[in-house]
Amino acid sequence: MKQLNQLTIVGIDQGYVEELFAVLRSYEYDPATVQLIVAGGGGQLIKHFYSYDPAQITILDDLCAAAKGYEYLAYRQLMREA
């Protein structure tokens, strides 16, 4: 039963990542011409459940990268208002 649950979760994760890239392609994402940079937890899903070319997709392994980026943007906004 545990193995079946793991297979189900892996299938769901793979399906999610495939759907994500389908949406990107619907917005005319072309991996041959666009360097994709993924920050945060989404990168881990791509890394483990999608076959990708590291020359076309850069994954920032820091799970807090997105939060750090927003923190930096907030800091810059506060400095501009000061």
Side-chain angles (χ1 to χ4, degrees):
M1 184 72 170
K2 183 178 179 181
Q3 193 173 24
L4 178 61
N5 288 341
Q6 288 175 338
L7 290 174
T8 301
I9 291 169
V10 167
I12 289 169
D13 290 342
Q14 287 173 334
Y16 176 79
V17 174
E18 290 291 337
E19 186 177 324
L20 174 67
F21 278 91
V23 169
L24 287 172
R25 285 189 295 276
S26 77
Y27 285 103
E28 300 181 8
Y29 164 70
D30 179 10
T33 60
V34 175
Q35 174 69 31
L36 184 63
I37 300 173
V38 183
Q44 296 304 311
L45 287 171
I46 292 169
K47 182 185 281 188
H48 296 291
F49 300 106
Y50 190 74
S51 177
Y52 70 97
D53 180 358
Q56 296 170 332
I57 299 176
T58 301
I59 297 174
L60 303 178
D61 285 328
D62 184 353
L63 293 177
C64 298
K68 289 176 182 177
Y70 283 113
E71 181 180 32
Y72 177 74
L73 289 173
Y75 172 76
R76 295 289 299 179
Q77 181 67 31
L78 288 172
M79 295 305 293
R80 204 172 310 134
E81 293 173 359

